[in-house]
């Protein structure tokens, strides 16, 4: 206990002497590494598996039991209960103990043999859409397989044909579904890439606000300010690359496109966000409030920028707004860089956007610098106050 107290005191004293170094290490190294490892391990399975499922089998024929064994053998489902009433499925879903349910009606097999087309009812917990997406697809495949197997047994008993011919009669149209770029339908490859960047951009904006506030205390020339934001943007880019690199090295995240293109758009995105924080820190006279404003400014952009919910489904006004957010271009394009095979010339759209956005930010920083220089020159014999805009 005494030893741990000494370490805590030593760290506290070190932090007092080197606050910038400690914060930069925390934001640019520790948070990316911890976030990358924690979230990467959390989504290691790529897709939801062992989804709690309840089955109500009113038929209890050999065929219906064979069907339920298909579900038990699937990695996607974990049959937690064979219930004797339909209401039980809803009760378990209400308690978040089940996310899928199957009701097999009475006389299911006999009705099927008579050609009455009995209906199996499948239920999904719509409050958990990510789980539903996976289990609905898996359930559809099992049902199609079961139907094809039954039809083949019927035809093979009536016709003297080989199984391949029977299969062609059962399924006269063959359809292949192929997911390009993300064939395993991995949630990790779809969501995590941009989500990690959205977490790190908050720290980048906060660091930008710190540097902007430092400029209020000790004003720099415009050229020196450009050097400061360029250097800290490079640190910010390193932070994002470090976080995504962990996914690549330890969790098999793919990266199939140009490395140079990825580095360039990551650097430009980092500069966009850092400059936003820098401008806020340069204007707001309170350090803590400036950092809070900068963080709040970028916090919701992963949702507003159309990364988790596509902008094509948003109202027109939101869609226009989303196209003005840096994260809209970075989140979607860094995901494409990881999953697709893009070249540098394919990145014209985000490169043009980032260039224009950064130029606009640099003009704003220049205007603020000129205004403050004019203010100080005008009131050099007065109160000597720093202008508060």
């Amino acid at each position: 206990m005494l030893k741990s107290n000494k370490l805590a005191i030593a760290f506290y004293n070190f932090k007092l002497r080197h606050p910038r170094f400690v914060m930069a290490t925390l934001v640019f190294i520790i948070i990316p590494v911890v976030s990358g490892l924690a979230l990467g391990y959390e989504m290691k399975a790529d897709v939801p598996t062992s989804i709690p499922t309840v089955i109500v089998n009113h038929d209890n024929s050999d065929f219906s039991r064979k069907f339920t064994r298909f579900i038990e053998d699937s990695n996607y489902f974990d049959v937690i209960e064979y219930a004797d009433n339909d209401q039980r499925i809803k009760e378990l879903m209400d308690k978040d103990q089940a996310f899928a349910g199957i009701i097999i009606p009475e006389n299911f097999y006999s009705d099927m043999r008579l050609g009455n087309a009995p209906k199996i009812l499948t239920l999904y917990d719509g409050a958990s859409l990510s789980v539903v997406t996976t289990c609905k697809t898996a359930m559809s495949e099992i049902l199609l397989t079961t139907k094809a197997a039954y039809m083949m047994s019927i035809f093979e008993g009536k016709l003297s044909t080989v199984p391949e011919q029977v299969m062609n009669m059962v399924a006269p149209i063959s359809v292949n579904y192929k997911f390009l770029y993300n064939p395993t339908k991995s949630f990790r490859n779809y969501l995590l890439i941009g989500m990690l960047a959205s977490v790190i951009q908050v720290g980048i904006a906060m660091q930008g606000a710190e540097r902007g506030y430092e400029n209020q205390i000790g004003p720099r020339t415009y050229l020196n300010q450009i050097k400061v934001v360029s250097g800290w943007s490079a640190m910010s880019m390193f932070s994002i690359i470090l976080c995504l690199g962990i996914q690549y090295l330890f969790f098999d995240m793919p990266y199939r496109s140009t490395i140079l293109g990825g580095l360039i758009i990551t650097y430009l995105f980092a500069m966009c966000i850092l400059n936003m924080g820098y401008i806020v820190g340069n204007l707001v006279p309170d350090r803590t409030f400036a950092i809070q404003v900068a963080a709040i400014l970028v916090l919701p952009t992963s949702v507003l920028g159309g990364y988790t919910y596509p902008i094509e489904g948003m109202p027109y006004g939101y869609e226009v707004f989303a196209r003005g957010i840096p994260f809209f271009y970075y989140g979607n394009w860094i995901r494409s860089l990881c999953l697709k095979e893009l070249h540098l010339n394919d990145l014209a759209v985000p490169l043009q956007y980032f260039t224009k956005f950064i130029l606009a930010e640099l003009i704003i920083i220049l205007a603020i610098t000129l205004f403050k220089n004019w203010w100080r020159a005008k009131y050099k014999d007065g109160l000597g106050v720093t202008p508060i805009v």
Side-chain angles (χ1 to χ4, degrees), residues 41-113:
Y41 186 76
E42 181 189 23
M43 297 190 185
K44 195 176 179 181
D46 286 323
V47 294
T49 55
S50 302
I51 299 165
T53 305
V54 182
I55 295 177
V56 181
N57 189 353
H58 295 293
D59 184 52
N60 275 324
S61 63
D62 289 340
F63 184 83
S64 64
R65 284 194 290 272
K66 185 178 180 181
F67 168 65
T68 58
R69 279 199 296 275
F70 286 154
I71 298 171
E72 288 180 346
D73 293 341
S74 170
N75 291 329
Y76 293 103
F77 300 101
D78 177 18
V79 180
I80 59 170
E81 184 174 325
Y82 279 91
D84 55 7
N85 68 83
D86 301 352
Q87 187 61 28
R88 179 64 177 163
I89 295 176
K90 187 175 182 302
E91 289 174 5
L92 292 174
M93 284 187 179
D94 288 343
K95 298 174 183 175
D96 283 340
Q97 295 177 0
F99 295 96
I102 300 165
I103 300 175
I104 302 173
E106 292 182 8
N107 305 319
F108 170 72
Y109 184 61
S110 58
D111 284 348
M112 194 166 61
R113 288 182 62 83

Side-chain angles (χ1 to χ4, degrees), residues 39-280:
L39 296 178
Y41 186 76
E42 181 189 23
M43 297 190 185
K44 195 176 179 181
D46 286 323
V47 294
T49 55
S50 302
I51 299 165
T53 305
V54 182
I55 295 177
V56 181
N57 189 353
H58 295 293
D59 184 52
N60 275 324
S61 63
D62 289 340
F63 184 83
S64 64
R65 284 194 290 272
K66 185 178 180 181
F67 168 65
T68 58
R69 279 199 296 275
F70 286 154
I71 298 171
E72 288 180 346
D73 293 341
S74 170
N75 291 329
Y76 293 103
F77 300 101
D78 177 18
V79 180
I80 59 170
E81 184 174 325
Y82 279 91
D84 55 7
N85 68 83
D86 301 352
Q87 187 61 28
R88 179 64 177 163
I89 295 176
K90 187 175 182 302
E91 289 174 5
L92 292 174
M93 284 187 179
D94 288 343
K95 298 174 183 175
D96 283 340
Q97 295 177 0
F99 295 96
I102 300 165
I103 300 175
I104 302 173
E106 292 182 8
N107 305 319
F108 170 72
Y109 184 61
S110 58
D111 284 348
M112 194 166 61
R113 288 182 62 83
L114 293 172
N116 294 332
K119 293 180 181 177
I120 291 177
L121 180 59
T122 56
L123 300 104
Y124 306 102
D125 184 354
S128 304
L129 278 179
S130 57
V131 177
V132 169
T133 303
T134 299
C135 67
K136 190 175 180 182
T137 304
M139 186 65 74
S140 299
E141 291 173 355
I142 292 173
L143 288 168
L144 284 173
T145 303
T146 305
K147 283 193 286 188
Y150 172 73
M151 293 301 294
M152 286 182 69
S153 68
I154 296 295
F155 277 94
E156 283 178 343
K158 294 182 177 180
L159 303 173
S160 300
T161 52
V162 295
E164 289 76 11
Q165 290 176 315
V166 172
M167 189 63 199
N168 291 337
M169 296 173 70
V170 170
I173 299 175
S174 179
V175 180
N176 290 328
Y177 300 94
K178 187 174 182 180
F179 283 78
L180 296 177
Y181 314 125
N182 189 14
T184 59
K185 294 172 276 187
S186 166
F187 273 90
R188 183 157 52 92
N189 293 343
Y190 173 72
L191 269 181
L192 196 54
I193 299 166
M195 294 305 296
L196 287 171
S198 73
V199 171
I200 297 171
Q201 71 170 350
V202 177
I204 295 172
M206 293 167 68
Q207 284 294 306
E210 284 248 32
R211 302 292 83 78
Y213 183 75
E214 287 174 359
N215 189 58
Q216 290 199 63
I217 299 172
R220 309 181 187 96
T221 64
Y222 182 66
L223 183 60
N224 281 336
Q225 291 183 68
I226 299 299
K227 291 179 180 176
V228 168
V229 296
S230 299
W232 284 90
S233 297
M235 284 288 295
S236 305
M237 178 192 72
F238 169 76
S239 175
I240 298 174
I241 297 298
L242 176 63
C243 190
L244 297 182
I246 288 173
Q247 302 307 308
Y248 179 81
L249 292 174
F250 299 108
F251 299 106
D252 297 326
M253 185 191 80
Y255 188 87
R256 304 188 177 109
S257 299
T258 164
I259 294 175
L260 178 62
L263 291 174
I264 291 174
I265 71 163
T266 301
Y267 180 78
L268 294 178
F269 169 71
M271 182 173 267
C272 285
I273 302 302
L274 191 98
N275 283 345
M276 287 170 64
Y278 188 86
I279 291 169
V280 172

Side-chain angles (χ1 to χ4, degrees), residues 30-42:
I30 295 178
I31 290 178
V33 169
V34 172
S35 301
L37 290 173
L39 296 178
Y41 186 76
E42 181 189 23

Side-chain angles (χ1 to χ4, degrees), residues 227-384:
K227 291 179 180 176
V228 168
V229 296
S230 299
W232 284 90
S233 297
M235 284 288 295
S236 305
M237 178 192 72
F238 169 76
S239 175
I240 298 174
I241 297 298
L242 176 63
C243 190
L244 297 182
I246 288 173
Q247 302 307 308
Y248 179 81
L249 292 174
F250 299 108
F251 299 106
D252 297 326
M253 185 191 80
Y255 188 87
R256 304 188 177 109
S257 299
T258 164
I259 294 175
L260 178 62
L263 291 174
I264 291 174
I265 71 163
T266 301
Y267 180 78
L268 294 178
F269 169 71
M271 182 173 267
C272 285
I273 302 302
L274 191 98
N275 283 345
M276 287 170 64
Y278 188 86
I279 291 169
V280 172
N282 220 346
L283 292 175
V284 178
D286 181 84
R287 174 178 172 273
T288 304
F289 187 57
I291 293 173
Q292 290 171 341
V293 170
I296 293 171
L297 206 59
V298 300
L299 197 59
T301 55
S302 61
V303 178
L304 294 174
Y307 185 78
T308 52
Y309 183 77
I311 64 169
E312 288 77 9
M314 296 180 183
Y316 179 73
Y318 277 88
E319 184 179 337
V320 172
F321 179 69
R323 293 185 186 281
I325 297 175
F327 191 78
F328 168 75
Y329 295 90
Y330 186 71
N332 291 302
W333 279 94
I334 193 65
R335 177 168 58 197
S336 295
L337 284 168
C338 289
L339 300 180
K340 300 179 180 178
E341 295 179 358
L342 301 181
H343 302 92
L344 191 57
N345 57 359
D346 295 319
L347 303 177
V349 172
L351 291 177
Q352 286 177 8
Y353 170 82
F354 287 139
T355 303
K356 292 177 183 175
F357 198 90
I358 290 170
L359 282 175
E361 289 177 324
L362 294 180
I363 290 172
I364 293 173
I365 294 172
L366 176 62
I368 294 171
T369 303
L370 292 174
F371 174 74
K372 288 192 173 182
N373 289 343
W374 168 80
W375 182 282
R376 293 189 191 95
K378 185 175 181 179
Y379 296 100
K380 62 181 178 181
D381 298 327
L383 299 175

